[in-house]
Amino acid sequence: MKKNLRVYALLHAPFEGLGCISHWVNKNGYQLHEVCLWKNANLPAAESSDMLIIMGGPMSVHDEKKYPWLYYEKKCIEEFIQHEKHVLGICLGAQLIAHVLGSRVYPNQYKEIGWFPVYLLEAAQNTLLHFFPGEFITFHWHGDTFDLPRGAVHVAKSEACRHQAFTYGRQVIALQFHPEMTQVSMQEMLKEGDAELVSAKYVQSAETILAHLHYADAQNALLHSLLDKWVANFLGR
């Protein structure tokens, strides 16, 4: 199979971009097509694509009345999964994958915003995330969660959120946390979402988040390694 992979990224808001994923795509010389859904951009067809990456956003998977394009986005994700394309979802993207696979998406008991540890589960040893540390600190910004889809492998959890990651088959990876966040993209996120940084058990202040930006490099490296293994799995099919 050719190595010039066609990567489509679904973006939900101007301030939630690809972060370090764009660095990875450019480094490898893949074709990157960013689909800005708030501009009513055309969604990709699975037949003419290799990978689909679904990023985060401030909306809920249930907000179709406010964001009508969500309906078509879900159909797009469903089509990619049915065609056994490689699909990665981050935060809202993970929730959309869970929703498309028939699971319930709903408000979590706690909002989780800031740098908090994630714990890998034993089942992860049989997935592409097998090399992740048993415990690692990464960035979170979410209020919703999801039930584990039938047939999925539960890979990771945190204290505030039971379902932090799952895989589905060989091609689908869903991450509730934000390993793509760079120091630059973090600043943009904080600027847009500062109203959510209220005092709560699992919500850190902007000052605390900014004081721990050094965690970004380690989580970016983890994500790059995961993407490399993902591509190797893709090319080896």
Side-chain angles (χ1 to χ4, degrees):
M1 177 175 287
K2 65 179 182 179
K3 292 188 178 182
N4 190 16
L5 302 180
R6 298 158 297 181
V7 181
Y8 282 83
L10 305 185
L11 307 179
H12 302 98
F15 55 88
E16 287 206 47
L18 284 165
C20 76
I21 296 176
S22 61
H23 306 160
W24 174 81
V25 172
N26 293 332
K27 177 185 70 175
N28 288 288
Y30 302 143
Q31 297 178 36
L32 176 61
H33 306 273
E34 295 187 355
V35 181
C36 300
L37 292 165
W38 65 92
K39 295 181 179 179
N40 295 317
N42 292 326
L43 288 161
E47 294 89 343
S48 57
S49 312
D50 295 313
M51 293 183 178
L52 186 69
I53 299 176
I54 314 145
M55 300 306 297
M59 62 286 298
S60 161
V61 302
H62 305 297
D63 285 346
E64 290 184 6
K65 287 186 178 179
K66 187 173 182 181
Y67 307 100
W69 42 260
L70 273 169
Y71 171 82
Y72 302 100
E73 181 184 14
K74 292 172 187 176
K75 292 295 183 185
C76 174
I77 297 167
E78 185 176 29
E79 178 188 352
F80 269 75
I81 293 175
Q82 288 176 346
H83 281 74
E84 296 187 340
K85 300 290 183 172
H86 275 47
V87 179
L88 168 66
I90 293 178
C91 198
L92 174 62
Q95 296 163 14
L96 282 163
I97 291 173
H99 179 76
V100 164
L101 291 175
S103 286
R104 189 169 63 107
V105 179
Y106 51 93
N108 193 36
Q109 180 180 1
Y110 303 103
K111 279 194 173 183
E112 192 174 22
I113 303 176
W115 300 100
F116 294 101
V118 164
Y119 306 96
L120 213 63
L121 302 175
E122 186 176 349
Q125 298 308 311
N126 297 318
T127 73
L128 283 174
L129 282 76
H130 65 86
F131 67 96
F132 273 43
E135 176 183 343
F136 57 96
I137 294 178
T138 188
F139 191 71
H140 307 260
W141 196 308
H142 68 97
D144 284 354
T145 187
F146 48 80
D147 290 335
L148 193 69
R150 179 176 296 181
V153 178
H154 187 194
V155 173
K157 66 178 182 178
S158 68
E159 289 183 3
C161 183
R162 181 183 178 190
H163 294 139
Q164 280 289 349
F166 69 83
T167 61
Y168 183 80
R170 296 178 61 198
Q171 293 82 30
V172 180
I173 301 172
L175 307 176
Q176 180 61 69
F177 53 93
H178 279 280
E180 86 286 359
M181 283 289 182
T182 64
Q183 296 193 23
V184 173
S185 62
M186 191 80 63
Q187 306 268 6
E188 296 173 0
M189 193 84 143
L190 288 171
K191 187 191 305 181
E192 293 293 332
D194 61 339
E196 290 191 64
L197 302 181
V198 298
S199 180
K201 185 174 182 179
Y202 295 103
V203 177
Q204 295 175 345
S205 67
E207 292 75 19
T208 299
I209 292 171
L210 291 172
H212 294 85
L213 283 180
H214 57 278
Y215 286 130
D217 291 342
Q219 68 169 4
N220 291 172
L222 262 184
L223 180 57
H224 280 197
S225 294
L226 175 60
L227 292 169
D228 286 340
K229 293 179 185 299
W230 203 40
V231 167
N233 171 259
F234 180 87
L235 296 174
R237 281 201 300 169

